[in-house]
Amino acid sequence: MTGNDMITSMGLRLEDPAKSVFTESAILDALNIAQKTVAGMVNRHYLVELQTIAENKTVTSGKCTFDTAFGSNVNPLGNGITGVYDESNDVWCTMIEPSDVKVLENSYLSGDTTSPVAYVFADSIYIKPTTTTLIDIWYIKSPTDLTASSVECELNIALQEIVLNFAEAQLWRSDAKESRATSAYQSAVNMVQTLNEKYAVEPAIGTKGR
């Protein structure tokens, strides 16, 4: 759906097609909050439209900050780094959790030019070996804000009804219609749960752990 389509749908759901109670601005605010809510709740398999690549990013002494990778004050959605490619050595990095960093003290598992290791911690990406100087980063970005236009919603069509439900819940709550807000919210949550049950949790790109 386009931004205009979603605004029209919200007007019908809220029984206010003329937007005399809920302004277009309020509806767009609710829709954009709802987009981010949905993207943060569903399994990453449903977010392929939001996957993108930050290419040829500089690594200094084994560290690439989010500011270097994505620009100032821009973070991937939910710190969603799905893969790191070591351009210096033309090989994928093995992604590990920060809690597993201790294993890198073992010389056999420390990460080298043929089998580099990457992990994300405190808004930075760390790479072993520290001689790596250039990486590509696969990540999930936040959805672009909707506007009153013919531009399509970036989220998968399977998620757009959920966005409408969450937005509807917000707006009913702002109008003190708690029963209707709860109904719309629960419908959205149930749809998220149904979708997520179809997938086991697993990384989208690369190999996790050692």
Side-chain angles (χ1 to χ4, degrees), residues 145-164:
D145 281 351
L146 292 162
T147 60
S149 69
S150 59
V151 176
E152 294 280 341
C153 173
E154 284 184 323
L155 292 178
N156 187 294
I157 192 169
L159 305 180
Q160 293 176 19
E161 186 76 12
I162 308 174
V163 170
L164 292 171

Side-chain angles (χ1 to χ4, degrees), residues 162-179:
I162 308 174
V163 170
L164 292 171
N165 282 334
F166 274 128
E168 181 183 349
Q170 291 179 62
L171 292 166
W172 282 132
R173 190 161 286 115
S174 72
D175 198 40
K177 302 291 196 308
E178 192 60 35
S179 176

Side-chain angles (χ1 to χ4, degrees), residues 119-132:
Y119 63 94
V120 179
F121 180 71
D123 292 348
S124 293
I125 302 164
Y126 292 86
I127 308 292
K128 298 286 186 179
T130 57
T131 53
T132 296

Side-chain angles (χ1 to χ4, degrees), residues 24 95 155 189 207-208:
E24 185 174 278
M95 300 294 294
L155 292 178
V189 169
T207 304
K208 184 182 172 94

Side-chain angles (χ1 to χ4, degrees), residues 38-51 76-83 95 97 138-140 159 196 199-205 208:
V38 172
M41 292 177 69
V42 298
N43 188 286
R44 290 179 183 178
H45 285 83
Y46 295 107
L47 300 177
V48 292
E49 290 82 2
L50 299 182
Q51 287 194 26
L77 183 71
N79 286 345
I81 306 294
T82 56
M95 300 294 294
E97 297 294 332
W138 271 250
Y139 70 101
I140 299 173
L159 305 180
N196 284 345
Y199 286 105
V201 177
E202 59 185 46
I205 296 177
K208 184 182 172 94

